């Protein structure tokens, strides 16, 4: 991989090919994650409590699906049950989510470009927590290292991913359950390539 450039097309292609190969596995995974993460959006719950529940469920599901995706890339297809068993990462994933939300949010408030820059800089911190069992700040440092010099390409990747998700929504709404795992796998592909 050339310095200063990431292979956006190859990453999206990797995601698409593997979703086609294991269609029901990945579509089912996306469906379960979206449904469980969305439980906090119930209108029957007070909005403050709803936000907390949503955040907790999202962190739990994120740890699970990331473990499954990283293992899949490494050649090991984990059973669906592993989605719910990654509690050892829960507090770090939650802490990282809150910290990045704050840091990136401040970046956007100050000016949009610093927010985008910080989002790209720490894009792979979550991957490092799950893949290498790192702490929050270690994971952020490692993400900063592997994204150095490739942020423009990662920005194009971010736009490509947005396009994939929009296409997924346009396909009767249900296409999103195909688009989401394509994006997840593309992200893992880039992480693995950059962290070699």
């Amino acid at each position: 991989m050339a310095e200063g450039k990431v292979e956006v097309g190859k990453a999206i292609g990797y995601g698409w090919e593997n979703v086609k190969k294991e269609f029901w596995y990945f579509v089912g995974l996306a469906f379960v994650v979206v449904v469980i993460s969305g439980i906090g959006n119930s209108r029957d719950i007070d909005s403050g409590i709803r936000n907390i529940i949503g955040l907790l469920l999202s962190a739990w599901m994120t740890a699970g699906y990331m473990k499954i995706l990283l293992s899949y890339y490494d050649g090991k297809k984990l059973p669906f049950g592993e989605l719910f068993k990654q509690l050892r990462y829960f507090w770090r994933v939650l802490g990282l989510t809150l910290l990045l939300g704050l840091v990136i949010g401040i970046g956007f408030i100050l000016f949009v470009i610093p927010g985008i820059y910080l989002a790209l800089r720490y894009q792979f911190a979550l991957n490092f927590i799950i893949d290498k069992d790192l702490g929050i700040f270690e994971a952020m440092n490692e993400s900063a290292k592997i994204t150095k010099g490739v942020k423009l390409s990662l920005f194009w990747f971010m736009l490509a991913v947005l396009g994939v998700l929009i296409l997924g929504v346009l396909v009767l709404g249900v296409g999103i359950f195909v688009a989401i795992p394509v994006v997840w796998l593309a992200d893992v592909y880039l992480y693995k390539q950059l962290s070699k």
Side-chain angles (χ1 to χ4, degrees):
M1 186 175 305
E3 179 65 19
K5 187 177 179 185
V6 297
E7 296 166 323
V8 174
K10 279 192 178 180
I12 301 287
Y14 170 83
W16 173 242
E17 288 304 317
N18 282 282
V19 168
K20 281 196 304 184
K21 188 164 63 174
E22 297 285 353
F23 186 79
W24 292 113
Y25 178 74
F26 285 117
V27 168
L29 181 65
F31 181 79
V32 170
V33 168
V34 168
V35 167
I36 292 177
S37 296
I39 288 173
N41 294 327
S42 169
R43 297 287 176 220
D44 300 329
I45 307 171
D46 173 70
S47 64
I49 295 170
R50 186 169 61 216
N51 290 340
I52 292 169
I53 291 171
L55 186 64
L56 296 174
L57 289 173
S58 179
W60 182 35
M61 289 295 94
T62 299
Y65 81 69
M66 185 56 70
K67 181 68 174 181
I68 287 173
L69 296 172
L70 289 164
S71 295
Y72 181 84
Y73 185 93
D74 291 335
K76 187 176 180 185
K77 184 179 170 185
L78 298 177
F80 254 47
E82 291 298 315
L83 181 63
F84 308 102
K85 296 179 181 177
Q86 306 309 316
L87 291 173
R88 63 183 295 217
Y89 304 109
F90 174 78
W91 292 110
R92 282 177 282 168
V93 170
L94 181 62
L96 178 69
T97 302
L98 293 170
L99 181 59
L100 288 184
L102 179 66
V103 169
I104 293 167
I106 290 170
F108 274 104
I109 289 167
L110 292 175
F111 194 60
V112 174
I113 293 172
I116 293 171
Y117 173 85
L118 291 168
L120 297 172
R121 179 181 174 94
Y122 300 122
Q123 177 175 336
F124 300 112
L126 173 66
N127 304 58
F128 277 108
I129 286 176
I130 309 297
D131 192 33
K132 305 295 185 187
D133 204 13
L134 299 183
I136 293 171
F137 295 108
E138 276 183 298
M140 289 173 71
N141 286 335
E142 290 302 314
S143 180
K145 285 180 193 173
I146 69 169
T147 58
K148 188 174 182 179
V150 294
K151 288 181 190 67
L152 183 59
S153 290
L154 289 174
F155 177 73
W156 294 123
F157 172 70
M158 185 175 71
L159 293 180
V161 157
L162 186 59
V164 169
L165 293 173
I166 290 170
L167 281 173
V169 171
L170 293 176
V171 182
L172 305 175
V174 295
I176 196 69
F177 295 112
V178 175
I180 287 171
V182 168
V183 168
W184 285 345
L185 287 163
D187 179 77
V188 166
Y189 176 89
L190 285 186
Y191 159 74
K192 289 288 191 178
Q193 295 301 307
L194 290 170
S195 61
K196 276 182 180 176

